[in-house]
């Protein structure tokens, strides 16, 4: 038997080329119904067979005297209709054959449309798969390049710090008079050297932290971190400089504990408070609030994460950040105003580092700001489990 006729393995032939088979295109039920209706209408026996003479549907038993009409489709005989009528009426057989030919025509058209559609889908799937593969390769190359960059930065920063500590150390020795008394002008110069060296050390430290954070891919030291004490110590280190400008730092800190790397969490809070104090207007309040909240803000990303975290919220009443700039605020070295470095100092690494640390903890950092009114930065961290039912505390 021809394997193609028997519905041989798909792919062995071009589906557009496959032979027209009555049994494949017209389901048994459709043929049975047709045959039944015809036999009842004309009170006769009807038998439909395929091109090999196998019976596909029948109503009653046709005798050898039955009139046989071929079913023709696309110039081929694809089957036959046998009608047993007494007296014989060949037109009934032709009519029936015609109806089947029409049904076949429609079914075949649907099948061809389906095949073409499938082919179109298969080719776009293949195209997408190829694109995906090349994207994956590109991502791999980028990752490798990124690792090289991070290693380079880490090594460079380390190498730069060593001589810098000597510059700072010797400057301090000069100021302390260890090499003899300094004239006022000399003292001025050494102070400038010391100031600039400190600035450079800060930059190098930030760059080193950044490259470490990017390379680490997670948090190393995880422990409960009491937020009240952490915020206290950060606020204390800004109090003198804030007081000089009449800025109050208000703490609204719940007795909660974060679960993470204390040094990193402190750095995040430090960076946010540093910005708030730097950018808030003279004589205004900076508020540092810590409370319980979802680890990932509601509505961010496709997978809502309902794990409980703590939110560190830092509010200021400063210049604010415009919508355009908000999109870039967490990028390394981004500063809204390049003259900001001159006016306020800083390197543009504070928020990028904060984001890297927060995300290493599985948390998020975001900002809400109105230009001219102020900004609210929120960083979320995992929390030590707490019982949120009223009247209970951990
Ligand atoms: N609280 C804030 N109010 C207004 N602008 C801010 C605030 N925090 C950050 N910015 C803007 O984002 C920039 C990047 O901040 P950051 O990464 O901390 O760098 P840096 O403080 O060294 O400039 C700042 O230069 C400033 O333009
Ligand atoms: Mg900063």
């Amino acid at each position: 038997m021809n394997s193609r006729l028997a519905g041989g393995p798909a792919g062995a032939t071009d589906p557009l080329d496959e032979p027209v088979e009555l049994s494949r295109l017209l389901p048994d039920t459709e043929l049975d119904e047709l045959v039944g209706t015809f036999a009842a209408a004309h009170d006769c026996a009807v038998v439909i067979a395929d091109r090999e003479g196998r019976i596909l549907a029948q109503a009653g038993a046709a005798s050898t005297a039955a009139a046989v009409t071929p079913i023709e489709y696309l110039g081929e005989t694809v089957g036959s209709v046998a009608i047993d009528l007494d007296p014989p009426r060949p037109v009934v057989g032709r009519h029936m054959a015609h109806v089947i030919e029409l049904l076949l025509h429609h079914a075949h058209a649907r099948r061809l449309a389906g095949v073409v559609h499938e082919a179109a889908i298969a080719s776009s799937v293949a195209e997408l798969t190829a694109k995906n593969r090349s994207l994956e390769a590109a991502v791999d190359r980028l990752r490798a390049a990124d690792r090289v960059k991070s290693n380079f930065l880490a090594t460079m920063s380390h190498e730069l710090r060593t001589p810098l500590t000597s510059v700072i150390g010797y400057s301090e020795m000069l100021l302390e008079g260890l090499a003899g008394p300094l004239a006022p002008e000399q003292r001025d110069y050494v102070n400038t050297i010391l100031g600039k060296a400190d600035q450079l050390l800060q930059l190098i430290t930030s760059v080193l932290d950044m490259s470490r954070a990017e390379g680490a891919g997670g948090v190393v030291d995880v422990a409960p971190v009491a937020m009240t004490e952490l915020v206290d110590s950060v606020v204390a280190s800004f109090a003198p400089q804030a007081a000089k400008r009449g800025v109050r730092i208000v703490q609204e800190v719940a007795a909660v504990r974060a679960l993470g790397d204390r040094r990193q969490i402190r750095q995040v809070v430090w960076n946010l408070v540093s910005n708030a104090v730097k950018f808030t207007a003279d004589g205004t309040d900076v508020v540092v609030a810590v409370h319980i909240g979802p680890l990932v803000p509601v509505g961010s990303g496709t997978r809502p994460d309902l794990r409980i975290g703590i939110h560190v919220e830092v509010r200021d009443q400063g210049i604010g950040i415009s919508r355009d700039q908000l999109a870039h605020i967490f990028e390394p070295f981004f500063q809204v105003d390049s003259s900001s470095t001159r006016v306020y100092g800083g390197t543009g690494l504070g928020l990028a580092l904060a984001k890297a640390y927060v995300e290493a903890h599985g948390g998020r950092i975001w900002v809400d700001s109105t230009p001219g009114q102020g900004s609210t930065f929120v960083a979320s961290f995992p929390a030590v489990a707490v019982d949120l039912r009223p009247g209970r505390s951990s």
Side-chain angles (χ1 to χ4, degrees):
M1 201 209 297
N2 186 330
S3 71
R4 276 169 41 156
L5 296 181
T13 59
D14 181 348
L16 287 176
D17 229 18
E18 70 194 8
V20 172
E21 288 300 326
L22 263 178
S23 58
R24 182 154 53 196
L25 291 174
L26 299 180
D28 289 355
T29 48
E30 200 170 333
L31 285 177
D32 284 342
E33 199 183 318
L34 191 66
V35 162
T37 315
F38 241 82
H42 296 285
D43 189 22
C44 61
V46 179
V47 178
I48 296 178
D50 68 7
R51 64 172 94 213
E52 261 111 25
R54 280 184 301 244
I55 292 174
L56 301 177
Q58 85 183 105
S63 72
T64 46
V68 176
T69 313
I71 301 169
E72 312 268 3
Y73 185 66
L74 296 177
E76 263 191 85
T77 300
V78 296
S80 62
V81 181
I83 303 261
D84 207 352
L85 247 184
D86 191 19
R89 285 175 66 202
V91 68
V92 174
R94 280 207 300 280
H95 186 192
M96 171 107 209
H98 212 74
V99 169
I100 294 175
E101 283 160 11
L102 276 176
L103 289 175
L104 207 51
H105 179 84
H106 283 293
H108 192 218
R110 276 199 305 274
R111 163 107 183 113
L112 290 185
V115 165
V116 169
H117 187 66
E118 266 166 30
I121 287 176
S123 89
S124 57
V125 166
E127 212 173 289
L128 282 177
T129 311
K131 271 201 188 120
N132 262 347
R133 243 180 243 131
S134 71
L135 277 178
E136 268 162 21
V139 168
D140 282 348
R141 280 198 301 277
L142 277 178
R143 283 217 183 95
D146 213 48
R147 268 197 302 279
V148 171
K149 184 205 74 180
S150 286
N151 282 341
F152 171 76
L153 279 179
T155 314
M156 277 298 290
S157 305
H158 189 78
E159 295 303 313
L160 286 170
R161 265 149 68 108
T162 317
L164 204 50
T165 20
S166 300
V167 172
I168 291 170
Y170 280 104
S171 301
E172 284 169 347
M173 280 156 65
L174 281 176
L175 284 177
E176 283 162 19
L178 293 184
L182 294 182
E185 207 176 357
Q186 289 172 325
R187 181 165 289 278
D188 256 12
Y189 289 174
V190 177
N191 262 320
T192 306
I193 292 172
L194 195 56
K196 295 295 171 192
D198 266 335
Q199 205 179 322
L200 192 53
L201 186 61
Q202 226 180 64
L203 170 64
I204 293 167
T205 307
S206 302
V207 169
L208 185 60
D209 285 346
M210 258 320 274
S211 61
R212 275 202 199 121
E214 283 175 347
V219 184
V220 205
D221 294 321
V222 176
V225 180
M227 292 305 291
T228 330
E229 286 143 42
L230 186 145
V231 172
D232 261 349
S233 87
V234 171
V235 168
S237 70
F238 284 102
Q241 97 187 54
K244 268 188 219 155
R245 290 176 36 231
V247 170
R248 264 200 327 160
I249 309 178
V250 180
Q251 298 181 51
E252 297 170 2
V253 184
V256 289
R257 284 179 303 162
L259 194 59
D261 182 317
R262 187 184 147 77
R263 194 190 67 84
Q264 291 188 4
I265 296 176
R266 187 174 193 280
Q267 185 77 59
V268 172
V269 178
W270 199 95
N271 288 4
L272 294 183
V273 174
S274 145
N275 286 345
V277 169
K278 186 157 70 176
F279 292 105
T280 204
D282 288 1
T284 60
D285 284 356
V286 164
V287 178
V288 185
V290 178
H291 50 84
I292 296 285
L295 187 57
V296 173
V298 176
S300 77
T302 47
R303 247 182 336 142
D305 188 330
L306 298 175
R307 268 183 302 161
I308 291 295
I310 58 144
H311 286 192
V312 178
E313 209 173 301
V314 181
R315 288 198 291 276
D316 67 62
Q317 295 169 279
I319 52 177
I321 304 155
S322 76
R323 242 186 134 58
D324 293 352
Q325 291 150 353
L326 279 180
H328 304 289
I329 209 87
F330 294 103
E331 289 167 10
F333 300 111
F334 180 85
Q335 292 185 310
V336 167
D337 183 357
S338 50
S339 65
S340 154
T341 316
R342 264 178 286 131
V343 183
Y344 298 109
T347 57
L349 278 172
L351 289 177
L353 187 59
K355 180 169 153 47
Y357 282 164
V358 170
E359 289 179 355
H361 281 78
R364 290 276 188 286
I365 186 166
W366 65 96
V367 55
D368 189 14
S369 185
T370 313
Q373 291 188 16
S375 315
T376 302
F377 283 82
V378 185
S380 64
F381 291 97
V384 173
V386 284
D387 193 335
L388 292 172
R389 282 171 293 176
R392 292 162 201 258
S393 57
S394 61

